[in-house]
Amino acid sequence: MYVFLNNMIVPEANAVVSVYDHGFLYGDGIYETMRAYDGIVFMFEKHLERLARSASFLKLNIPDRQYIRDAVYKTLSANELSDAYIRITVSRGKGPIGLDIDLCRETTFVVISEKFRQYPESCYQEGTRLILAKTRRNLVEAVNPKIKSLNFLNNILAKMEAKEKGAYEAVMLNSDGFIAEGTTSNIFFVNENTLCTPSSDAGILDGITRDTVINVAKKNGIEVKEGMFYPADLLGSTEVFFTNTTAEVMPVSCVEDVRFGIGEITQALRRLYRKEVERYVNELRAKS
Ligand code: PMP
């Protein structure tokens, strides 16, 4: 595979970063995960906006949008990929030991892409297992979950809990005990035919898939409630799913030991999300 590293496409073996990079030393940096369908990066603009928001939290200089767009498409083309997983990483860069951001003169900018590996169809047909993690989501006032940062230990600790219990994903609560989000996903559930999901105030990453799902749900007459929910609301619901860029709409069959069927709203949203992807890709293709 080829990697875009600081202005150059290089073979993976040469895509190396200094041990003095503050991304490595301190987790000081940000990233985005995107998905290309048939050569088109879905919701590219929204990912660029979120990257810029993350960067501004950290006062991190990132290249301009056109540069990033070109870097991503160059990486896809170097790897001859059309259905791909793409990751942009921007770190503070190389500098002497120390936390002062001015120790680093130039950020490190990386684009990785790989052939997209579909989740097993059985996950979508049978649903996945979730647990409620003991690890709480980072406080908004500590490391705001809105920053998609390289500082990912909070999520890794919760994912370790899921793995220990043989579950796929862990639901993290915020410090007040309200549901926040998964380790790499946003959580949805259905209560009396209303689609519920933790609001931004719960301290979550504003998922781009979450946003798309909310929009298609509203457009199709499904009532949506963004709010503060307790685990009991989730456990007492009739359908549960989680969302992210790679899994799209992923049904859940079990949270702890409570079982859920893959209900009509989940199935409808899975289809509607796919249609939205098709519409987006076709529209962009027609313009180019
Ligand atoms: N929350 C967290 C903590 C995540 O890492 C992700 C994955 N980026 C999401 C939510 C879902 O975001 P998106 O739909 O933009 O992939």
Side-chain angles (χ1 to χ4, degrees):
M1 283 288 154
Y2 288 94
V3 172
F4 188 98
L5 171 64
N6 294 336
N7 227 0
M8 278 201 304
I9 294 275
V10 293
E12 190 180 319
N14 298 347
V16 287
V17 173
S18 167
V19 293
Y20 286 94
D21 194 292
H22 282 212
F24 177 70
L25 288 174
Y26 304 115
D28 185 357
I30 55 174
Y31 78 102
E32 274 299 315
T33 297
M34 301 178 293
R35 185 166 164 186
Y37 296 84
D38 203 13
I40 304 264
V41 180
F42 185 55
M43 296 288 176
F44 207 166
E45 289 308 310
K46 290 203 170 168
H47 284 281
L48 290 172
E49 280 164 22
R50 189 169 64 187
L51 188 75
R53 282 201 300 279
S54 295
S56 82
F57 271 104
L58 304 189
K59 297 191 175 19
L60 188 68
N61 286 323
I62 58 169
D64 66 48
R65 284 191 185 193
Q66 195 51 47
Y67 178 94
I68 300 177
R69 243 183 253 119
D70 289 348
V72 165
Y73 279 111
K74 271 185 203 157
T75 315
L76 287 178
S77 142
N79 290 308
E80 296 178 4
L81 291 171
S82 55
D83 288 300
Y85 161 93
I86 302 151
R87 175 173 160 134
I88 299 172
T89 308
V90 192
S91 80
R92 188 74 64 188
K94 185 178 157 188
I97 302 276
L99 303 190
D100 181 351
I101 60 171
D102 293 328
L103 291 170
C104 305
R105 277 215 235 114
E106 261 177 64
T107 55
T108 303
F109 176 82
V110 177
V111 182
I112 295 169
S113 65
E114 284 172 8
K115 188 173 162 35
F116 185 73
R117 278 165 298 157
Q118 193 68 48
Y119 286 73
E121 192 48 33
S122 58
C123 292
Y124 295 99
Q125 296 309 324
E126 292 154 28
T128 50
R129 292 190 54 203
L130 306 190
I131 58 141
L132 296 170
K134 290 199 176 68
T135 307
R136 294 287 170 106
R137 189 67 176 118
N138 282 331
L139 272 177
V140 171
E141 298 82 359
V143 182
N144 193 332
K146 277 199 168 46
I147 310 169
K148 199 162 167 55
S149 87
L150 300 185
N151 214 301
F152 225 54
L153 265 189
N154 182 216
N155 316 51
I156 290 169
L157 288 169
K159 181 77 176 182
M160 280 163 57
E161 291 186 50
K163 195 173 175 195
E164 273 161 25
K165 292 188 173 169
Y168 181 76
E169 175 61 305
V171 180
M172 302 168 85
L173 310 183
N174 67 18
S175 60
D176 296 322
F178 293 110
I179 297 170
E181 60 183 337
T183 63
T184 56
S185 64
N186 293 110
I187 306 293
F188 286 83
F189 57 94
V190 177
N191 241 333
E192 290 175 2
N193 287 325
T194 299
L195 183 65
C196 302
T197 194
S199 80
S200 184
D201 297 337
I204 59 171
L205 180 77
D206 42 358
I208 288 159
T209 320
R210 172 186 182 277
D211 196 42
T212 308
V213 165
I214 290 174
N215 288 337
V216 294
K218 285 182 179 166
K219 258 190 225 151
N220 287 276
I222 299 171
E223 201 181 315
V224 180
K225 186 174 167 197
E226 294 178 66
M228 303 297 265
F229 300 104
Y230 285 114
D233 300 315
L234 173 70
L235 296 172
S237 68
T238 48
E239 302 180 31
V240 182
F241 64 88
F242 66 82
T243 61
N244 67 28
T245 296
T246 50
E248 304 177 338
V249 173
M250 178 62 84
V252 170
S253 58
C254 199
V255 183
E256 294 288 339
D257 52 6
V258 179
R259 301 197 68 81
F260 298 89
I262 303 176
E264 271 173 32
I265 293 187
T266 306
Q267 289 181 39
L269 287 169
R270 213 188 137 208
R271 276 195 308 273
L272 290 166
Y273 184 84
R274 271 278 146 162
K275 266 174 78 179
E276 182 61 18
V277 171
E278 264 171 48
R279 190 197 59 73
Y280 181 96
V281 169
N282 291 338
E283 207 174 288
L284 273 202
R285 169 121 330 107
K287 274 192 205 153
S288 62

